Amino acid sequence: QNAINLDDSKMQNNSIIESYLKQQPWGSPELWKREKCDCGTARRFYCPSCRILIGSPILWNKLVADPLPLKVDIILRDDHTKATGIHAAVLAPQSTIIHNYEDSLDECDYSYESAVLLYPSSTSVPLTQLTSRELLSLRRVIVVDSKWTKAVGVLQNKKLSHLRHIHLENPPLHSYFWRYHDQGEGCVSTIEALVLL
């Protein structure tokens, strides 16, 4: 019976995402224009390099989700044009910092008390299992944005290896992101995980 409840909860999370996508709060995709960004590249929807919306048919401030309840650090180890963590920086620019893993994490100084790593590892727990005291001390969620096969290497970095891991309590059965992976059910993109957290 627990498995049935878990599946029902995963289906419910899928329904939440589907319902949101059907509402199209950003306007119909056909209304978004391909425009030239300040950096010189022509884009539609957003520029992954400049991390800004491009060609929006509605006002920018209606789409921006700042401030978020916690700061978000995205550890990017992927092509920035394919990474969904960039979406968090576009929609919540004051709350989100992107760190390029290949450059270095030297400027990152995360404490065990104030930061958690959102990643479904063997030691991860749902956010709901943290105590009230632990929740009150949280200031930052760190998310690895990479291919699933490269994430383990990022987790072993000395700047991240001491942190607690949290996971989604009931992840949806499947991702709505276009990129294929073979990691099984419940593995979602970075932006989907942040929305469902």
Side-chain angles (χ1 to χ4, degrees):
Q1 193 173 29
N2 286 341
I4 293 171
N5 291 340
L6 184 60
D7 286 344
D8 287 347
S9 194
K10 288 180 179 185
M11 293 295 280
Q12 182 180 11
N13 277 340
N14 271 70
S15 296
I16 290 168
I17 293 173
E18 285 174 9
S19 173
Y20 178 77
L21 291 173
K22 285 178 186 173
Q23 290 173 20
Q24 296 184 348
W26 54 85
S28 172
E30 293 81 29
L31 297 176
W32 286 66
K33 299 175 186 143
R34 187 172 186 84
E35 293 181 0
K36 197 166 244 189
C37 180
D38 292 341
C39 68
T41 58
R43 302 283 186 187
R44 184 174 176 211
F45 302 121
Y46 71 100
C47 177
S49 301
C50 300
R51 301 177 190 144
I52 59 171
L53 289 175
I54 301 287
S56 173
I58 58 177
L59 294 176
W60 164 263
N61 61 357
K62 289 190 177 183
L63 291 174
V64 174
D66 262 347
L68 297 175
L70 294 171
K71 296 291 185 183
V72 175
D73 280 24
I74 308 288
I75 310 299
L76 183 62
R77 188 180 187 183
D78 202 357
D79 179 345
H80 71 280
T81 62
K82 296 177 181 176
T84 65
I86 299 293
H87 302 158
V90 170
L91 297 173
Q94 296 172 12
S95 300
T96 307
I97 299 173
I98 304 281
H99 301 280
N100 189 338
Y101 182 76
E102 302 305 331
D103 290 342
S104 170
L105 297 180
D106 288 343
E107 74 278 4
C108 300
D109 189 24
Y110 302 121
S111 78
Y112 181 86
E113 293 78 24
S114 66
V116 290
L117 189 64
L118 177 58
Y119 189 82
S121 68
S122 60
T123 61
S124 66
V125 297
L127 193 60
T128 55
Q129 285 191 13
L130 297 182
T131 67
S132 297
R133 186 179 199 158
E134 290 172 318
L135 289 170
L136 288 172
S137 67
L138 276 186
R139 299 290 175 262
R140 189 168 305 277
V141 173
I142 300 136
V143 187
V144 175
D145 195 338
S146 74
K147 294 178 181 174
W148 283 96
T149 55
K150 292 187 176 185
V152 175
V154 177
L155 299 174
Q156 294 170 349
N157 184 289
K158 64 182 179 183
K159 294 287 188 169
L160 304 174
S161 61
H162 68 286
L163 297 174
R164 294 170 288 178
H165 292 194
I166 60 168
H167 63 258
L168 299 176
E169 191 157 15
N170 297 303
L173 292 172
H174 64 276
S175 172
Y176 285 86
F177 188 47
W178 59 268
R179 196 176 200 176
Y180 172 78
H181 68 78
D182 61 0
Q183 301 299 307
E185 290 182 353
C187 296
V188 295
S189 69
T190 301
I191 194 67
E192 289 171 315
L194 284 169
V195 167
L196 293 170
L197 185 61

